[in-house]
């Protein structure tokens, strides 16, 4: 849960100067609720900041926040079905083939959250979103709300199956152009929306 992830961050970085709320949020957002990724990120932080003084700018570079943020923007626009913005973002963002599993994981996490919303009883969408645990971050609520209007359970399950198919192709075919495959998949997500 979000609480346990934050407790792990605080326990592992106990005694580090500069471990403020902003830096905790940066670490939390970079791990995407994945405990293994969290432990890897914390090891990188401990190694880089051996003097136990965390610098926010260095932390963002270390955790590759900008690249992940750019992909989050692509993911959000694709799930909204906004083909113009998706194409614009795809043209300026480097899709790193070695991060394809991370990208698929980011898409699947959003799809699973959208599926959770579809399975909650009630008519008021705003109340359903507010009842999610862990909660949707405030800066992401508008995109999430708009995406819930585009995706029903059937479409979500269909897309989750496609992400699994893409994962199998990426893992089993070493000669395929992985960057091109991922870009095509994102365009397909946009069209499905």
């Amino acid at each position: 849960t979000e609480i346990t992830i934050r407790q792990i961050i605080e326990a592992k970085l106990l005694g580090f100067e500069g471990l403020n709320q902003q830096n905790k949020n940066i670490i939390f957002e970079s791990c995407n609720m994945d405990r293994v990724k969290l432990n890897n990120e914390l090891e990188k932080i401990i190694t880089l900041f051996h003097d136990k003084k965390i610098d926010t700018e260095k932390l963002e570079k270390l955790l590759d926040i900008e690249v992940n943020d750019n992909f989050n923007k692509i993911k959000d626009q694709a799930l909204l079905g906004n083909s113009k913005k998706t194409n614009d973002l795809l043209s300026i963002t480097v899709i790193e083939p070695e991060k394809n599993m991370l990208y698929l994981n980011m898409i699947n996490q959003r799809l699973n959250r959208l599926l959770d919303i579809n399975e909650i009883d009630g008519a008021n969408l705003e109340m359903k979103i507010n009842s999610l645990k862990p909660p949707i971050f405030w800066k992401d609520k508008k995109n999430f709300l708009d995406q819930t209007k585009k995706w029903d359970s059937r479409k979500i399950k269909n897309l989750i199956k496609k992400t699994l198919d893409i994962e199998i192709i990426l893992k089993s075919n070493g000669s395929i152009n992985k960057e091109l495959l991922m870009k095509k998949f994102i365009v397909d997500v946009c069209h499905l929306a």
Side-chain angles (χ1 to χ4, degrees), residues 146-160:
D146 292 341
Q147 289 165 359
T148 57
K149 295 172 184 173
K150 295 247 180 208
W151 293 88
D152 60 28
S153 294
R154 181 189 54 79
K155 282 172 57 175
I156 295 168
K157 289 175 183 175
N158 183 26
L159 188 54
I160 289 173

Side-chain angles (χ1 to χ4, degrees), residues 133-186:
K133 301 288 182 221
I136 301 295
F137 288 114
W138 63 269
K139 65 181 181 179
D140 204 21
K141 268 192 181 173
K142 170 137 181 31
N143 279 334
F144 189 79
L145 180 63
D146 292 341
Q147 289 165 359
T148 57
K149 295 172 184 173
K150 295 247 180 208
W151 293 88
D152 60 28
S153 294
R154 181 189 54 79
K155 282 172 57 175
I156 295 168
K157 289 175 183 175
N158 183 26
L159 188 54
I160 289 173
K161 183 186 177 323
K162 287 182 189 257
T163 62
L164 293 174
D165 293 342
I166 294 290
E167 184 175 346
I168 290 168
I169 291 168
L170 289 168
K171 288 181 176 178
S172 63
N173 191 339
S175 63
I176 195 162
N177 184 332
K178 294 176 180 179
E179 181 182 3
L180 189 62
L181 180 67
M182 184 57 68
K183 285 185 174 183
K184 183 191 177 318
F185 174 68
I186 292 166

